[in-house]
Structures are given as C-alpha cells and as structure tokens.
Amino acid sequence: MVTRHRPDTRDAGPRDGAGPGLPARRAHARRARRKTGPAYPYALYLPAAAVYIVIFLIPTAMAFYFALTRWTLFDSEFVGLDNFRDFLAEQNLSIGFRNTVVYAVVTSGLKVVLGLGLGVLLTSKLRLRGFLRSVVFFPVLVSTVAVGITFSVLLKPGTGLVDRVLALVGISGPDWLGEAGTALLSVALVDVWKGVGLATVIYIAGILSIPQDYYQAVSADGGNAWHRFRHVTLPLSWPATYSVIILSFIGGLRSFDLIWTMTRGGPGFTSDVIASIIYKQYQSGFFGLSTAGNVLLFVVVTAIVIPLNWFLGRRQVAP
Amino acid sequence: MRNLRRAGAEAAAFAVAAVVFLLPFSFMLLTAVKDEKQAADLDFSWPASWPIVDNLVEVISARDYVLLRAYVNSTILTVASVTLIVVCAAMAGYVLQRRTGKIGALANFLVLSGLIIPPAIVPTIWLLQALGLFKTLPGLVLVEVAFGLSYAVLLFRAFIAAIPRELDEAAMIDGCSGFALFFKVIFPLLKPVTITVILTQSVAVFNDFVNPLYFLPGDENATVQVTLYNFQSQYSTQWNLLFMDIVLITVPPLLAFVFFNRKIVAGMTAGAVKG
C-alpha cells in the first residue's frame, strides 16, 4: 500500500513548496487519501476490463492473424491473403457485401421515415396515443426467432396471410421468401416491422424535447401544420434522426438472426449477408475463411459508420 | 365537421396500427390453441376445438422436457449475466465519469469500440476452448457480459454525471474513499438507472439467439431461443405446437413490458436524444 503511493507524495511535494498559501483542507484530504487510497481507484475498472479484454479485445486482435491462415482451431497454416481473395472472387461470397449494404440502407432508411411519421402522429393529440405507442413498441421486445418464424408463415406463397390479403384486391403476390428478387427485401421489411418501434420512441423523446415556443411562433406567423413540421419538428428532431440512423446502420450491417431464421441466406445465396456467410463457413469448418469474413465485416462497419458518424455529427453542430 | 374528420383520421390510424402490429400476434395466439389438423391450415379461422392444455403439455414434454431445461438455462444465463453486467458496468461507469485523463480517454474509446465492432466469432471460440469454457454456461455468461458491457457503461456514466461531486467530497472528509465510497454512497443512489439496465439487458440476453448458437451448441444446455429454432424443423407439420412454443417464449418479455414499459423505453432512448 505505502510503496504504491509514494510516487504520489513525491510528485505533490514540490508543488506544495511552490504555493506557500496552500489551503489546509487539501493537505487534510491528501492525508486522508494516503490512509485510504485514491478517491476513484482505477481498480474499479478491473472486473469490467478483465472480461472485456479477454473475451472481446484479444479475440478481435487475434482475428487479424487467423484471417490469414488455414485454421482447424488446433493448428493453423499461414496462407497470406488467400481467404480474402476467396471472399472477393467467389460469387456466392462476394454477394454478401452487396446484400449487407442494401439491407442496412433499406432498414435504416425506412426506420427513419416511418419512425419520424409515427413519432409525429403519436405526439399529436390522439386519444389512443398511449395504446398505439405500446402497440408499436412491443415487437422490439419479442424474440427475433419468434418474429422470423411467424412471418415466414405469414409470407408463405399463395396460402400465407399476406398473399390472401393481396388476393382480395386482385394482386397475386410473389413467393416472398422463395424468389431471388424479393427474399432479401422481404426480410428487411420484417426487420423494419420489428425495429420501427425503437425508432419511434427515440423520435417521440426528441419531439417532446422541442420547446413549445417555436410552434407558437410559427402559428403567430400564420403557419399551418405543414410549416410546423417542415420548419420546426424536422430540423429540431435532428439529434433523434442522427441516433436512429447510426443505431440502425450498426444493427443492419451486423444483422444475422432474422435472415437466418427466415431464409438461411436462400434461395441459393441470394439473401446471404456477411454475418450469415461467417456462420456458414464456420459450420463447414473453414475457420480461417470465417474469420476473414469477420475481419471484412469489421472493415465494412468501421468504413461506413465512422465517416457517417462524422458527417452526421458535423451537421449537428451547424444546423 | 372538423371533429368528425379528426375522429375519422384517428379511427383510420388505429385500424392500420391494429392490422399491422396486432394481427401477427393474434395469429400466433390463435394457431397455438388450435388442434393439429386445423392449425395446419395456417389461417385466421376461429378454433373449432380448444386443446390449450394438451398443446401446452405436449410442447413442454417434447424431447424429454427439453423446453423446461432450456427455460432453466435461459433463466440462469440471464440472471448471472445481468448481475455481472450491472456490477462491472456501474463501477467502470463511475470511474469513467469521475476521473479523466489518459486512461479515461482509452476506456472511453474502448466503450465506443464495443458498441461498433462486430465480435470475432471463431477466435472467441478458440479462446474459450483454451480456457475450458467453450460449450459451458459460464463461458456464455462471460460472452454476454463482454458484449453487453459497453451499452450499460454508457447508461451508468450518463446517470452518474448528474450526481454532484460535492457528495463524494463530503464522504471523503468523513474518511470514506475508493471502494467504500462507491459501494456505500454512490451505488445506492444508482437505483433508477440500475433498474433500467437490468430490464434492457435482461430482454437482450433472454432474446439472444446468435451467441448461444455459436458458444453453447448441443441439446443438453440449449437456451429457449435455440430450442425454438430447432423446433422449427422438427414441428414443420405440428404448427399448433410450434406456435405454443413461440407464445411461451414471448411471455417473459410481455410481462416485463406490461409492468415496466416506461423504464424500458427510458433506457432505450437514454442518451439518444442528447446526441
């Protein structure tokens, strides 16, 4: 104990001499500290740091090495950039990049638009507002697997509920999850259904924090509902938009469970994203290739989210 | 006239929301209480018979009571992970907020990295195997803690920022410092944010599918989400049982939602609006 704090005292010594009129209180506090240790010991970080470093940081760092190997978990053979070359060259692997980005853009775009719309609607003087807020938010808390299974039943071609409803108005719906053109977008729409509640409550919190004065000013100038939305709600709920975009982009790029329960990347490889390819390669025992996928996902996420964060953050400063 | 239009718009909004958000849930419930033959139609017809108890018993006893074991596993997993997350994150969030400097900046950077970086799956498995924790519940608990820490630390840090430093100083003059200061003075004050963290993390861990899939494969210690996923291929003809399982798995989040809706929403929007 004493040895550990000796540098502290030595450090403070000269400063004490330089300032002759040092308040007695600080000296007292220093004495107390010497007895009991620092007020905010770094040791409080220890449990969190231990778990975080061992379970998260070390594997993340190791991934950059193992991505360059042919790996069986027990021994690894260095193969250079072969895994990455495979990923970029093979059609069924490289499709994952396009799909990952498409999925993230579609889900976060729709969450922003629908979340803002629902947020405005559910902060207006609706009588059933409390009930509707609950209804919209509840899917956020339901397990993704349960949502995935339910919607794959509702989207069954011909007999599924969605197709039956469409048949009522004379449209024959496609095989939503079985056709290459619609599978990924169908899953993305279900993702929006499940996640739009979170975007909505973020917007509600953002809209409620806008001071009423602004709305009164618009009304005094003779503005209507559209002006109130366009010139007050929309610009002043920007922090909420920022959060929704960043959160749903990170979530969308990493998304796996919904895609896996609804299509398993099919038909063929047409709805595979990077995360589902990582799982498939892991299942087939290509651990090096799987880890290369992880490194690429890391690159894609940071290459998109960090510039996006910077860009959106800059707009926030100068509205 | 205006009132009439207003009521009309409200009714329309209500109807659309009900159809879009409630229909899937009523479909789950209806299918879960039908008999096998009628459930196979997968439509919205009213149940001809109500074999609720039969379905329930059959789902629970299926595959040698795997669902019950899964419930026990998921409960242990959730309670253990959330307890560790609360203790670790509260301590870390406290130092992070109170003590700035190089280590604080590094910790801040790591917390944000934890939110953004996708976990490297196979290297984590490799490491857990080296530690003898792969395919064990304690191993999965550590994984959930490591991946859940960042978000909880942010919530705690934001809450602690509102606790005045004068309180710490008063406690220090009374000779209370370091761990004692945190656990005796600060931690009891964190109750509101602790409840929020417990709720949001419990829902996240209980609903987690990806991490149990990777880090806890095998039937004997499956969690509820993985069991449900496996039921999907097993019960491809017995839809009533599959949806009864879905209903059972949706009950815990539903209870959390009914009793603590406001707290959960507060936790999930915290910090989001401030930017």
Side-chain angles (χ1 to χ4, degrees), chain A residues 69-252:
Chain A
T69 64
R70 198 171 289 128
W71 186 24
T72 64
L73 280 187
F74 300 104
D75 63 323
S76 55
E77 178 199 341
F78 191 83
V79 293
L81 293 171
D82 276 10
N83 290 325
F84 292 97
R85 200 174 307 134
D86 286 353
F87 239 102
L88 300 174
E90 280 183 41
Q91 232 268 298
N92 54 13
L93 299 180
S94 60
I95 192 171
F97 288 100
R98 196 185 58 97
N99 285 346
T100 304
V101 175
V102 168
Y103 189 87
V105 170
V106 169
T107 51
S108 63
L110 284 176
K111 280 177 192 172
V112 166
V113 174
L114 296 175
L116 177 59
L118 285 167
V120 170
L121 187 73
L122 297 182
T123 46
S124 65
K125 290 195 192 79
L126 226 56
R127 232 161 297 152
L128 290 161
R129 162 176 94 175
F131 172 77
L132 286 177
R133 277 187 199 176
S134 304
V135 166
V136 171
F137 183 69
F138 182 58
V140 173
L141 303 180
V142 177
S143 109
T144 316
V145 183
V147 170
I149 293 176
T150 305
F151 271 92
S152 22
V153 170
L154 294 176
L155 289 171
K156 268 185 190 300
T159 58
L161 179 77
V162 175
D163 273 8
R164 281 191 204 177
V165 170
L166 288 178
L168 287 182
V169 288
I171 305 170
S172 77
D175 181 355
W176 299 98
L177 300 173
E179 271 170 33
T182 54
L184 187 73
L185 288 178
S186 305
V187 181
L189 288 181
V190 176
D191 190 317
V192 172
W193 179 86
K194 181 172 159 35
V196 76
L198 183 58
T200 306
V201 294
I202 291 176
Y203 269 115
I204 289 176
I207 292 171
L208 289 181
S209 71
I210 300 175
Q212 282 300 312
D213 314 11
Y214 291 102
Y215 291 107
Q216 283 159 6
V218 175
S219 298
D221 289 346
N224 57 20
W226 165 250
H227 292 124
R228 284 200 297 275
F229 172 76
R230 173 66 190 81
H231 297 291
V232 181
T233 310
L234 191 60
L236 290 183
S237 62
W238 175 253
T241 306
Y242 171 86
S243 305
V244 172
I245 293 179
I246 293 292
L247 284 179
S248 48
F249 237 95
I250 295 175

Side-chain angles (χ1 to χ4, degrees), chain A residues 298-309:
Chain A
F298 169 82
V299 171
V300 169
V301 171
T302 45
I304 293 180
V305 171
I306 289 175
L308 190 68
N309 191 21

Side-chain angles (χ1 to χ4, degrees), chain A residues 55-64 295 298, chain B residues 117-120 123-124:
Chain A
I55 307 291
F56 183 74
L57 225 50
I58 294 180
T60 303
M62 293 304 285
F64 286 91
V295 170
F298 169 82
Chain B
I117 297 175
T124 311

Side-chain angles (χ1 to χ4, degrees), chain B residues 11-237:
Chain B
F14 178 75
V16 170
V19 168
V20 172
F21 287 98
L22 290 181
L23 222 56
F25 290 110
S26 48
F27 178 77
M28 283 180 199
L29 271 178
L30 273 179
T31 313
V33 298
K34 288 175 181 174
D35 57 38
E36 190 185 326
K37 196 162 160 292
Q38 206 193 353
D41 295 344
L42 294 173
D43 59 9
F44 262 89
S45 60
W46 197 248
S49 62
W50 297 76
I52 303 179
V53 179
D54 290 354
N55 288 353
L56 199 62
V57 170
E58 204 171 333
V59 165
I60 292 175
S61 60
R63 298 215 340 251
D64 205 14
Y65 294 95
V66 68
L67 191 63
L68 277 190
R69 271 177 288 139
Y71 247 99
V72 172
N73 284 333
S74 279
T75 311
I76 297 173
L77 172 71
T78 309
V79 172
S81 321
V82 172
T83 311
L84 283 175
I85 288 178
V86 165
V87 175
C88 296
M91 284 160 60
Y94 168 67
V95 193
L96 195 59
Q97 203 282 319
R98 286 295 197 250
R99 198 167 170 181
T100 48
K102 269 192 191 135
I103 294 188
L106 176 68
N108 251 328
F109 172 76
L110 290 179
V111 167
L112 292 182
S113 313
L115 286 181
I116 296 174
I117 297 175
I121 305 288
V122 193
T124 311
I125 291 176
W126 169 79
L127 196 92
L128 287 174
Q129 204 154 43
L131 296 171
L133 290 171
F134 183 49
K135 294 192 186 178
T136 67
L137 210 47
L140 184 58
V141 168
L142 289 180
V143 167
E144 297 286 2
V145 173
F147 298 169
L149 265 178
S150 288
Y151 184 68
V153 169
L154 285 185
L155 285 182
F156 275 114
R157 191 186 64 177
F159 190 87
I160 289 166
I163 298 178
R165 269 166 188 270
E166 282 77 12
L167 197 73
D168 309 3
E169 283 160 17
M172 275 185 258
I173 288 179
D174 291 343
C176 190
S177 176
F179 280 78
L181 169 60
F182 176 72
F183 282 105
K184 287 196 185 140
V185 180
I186 305 293
F187 194 64
L189 295 174
L190 301 181
K191 207 166 144 201
V193 72
T194 303
I195 294 174
T196 306
V197 170
I198 289 177
L199 287 168
T200 49
Q201 295 297 325
S202 299
V203 172
V205 173
F206 185 83
N207 281 343
D208 187 17
F209 168 65
V210 184
N211 294 321
L213 182 72
Y214 275 117
F215 302 112
L216 200 60
D219 238 12
E220 66 269 28
N221 41 19
T223 65
V224 284
Q225 306 302 333
V226 176
T227 317
L228 173 61
Y229 178 75
N230 292 335
F231 273 13
Q232 188 189 11
S233 43
Q234 194 197 358
Y235 287 152
S236 52
T237 54

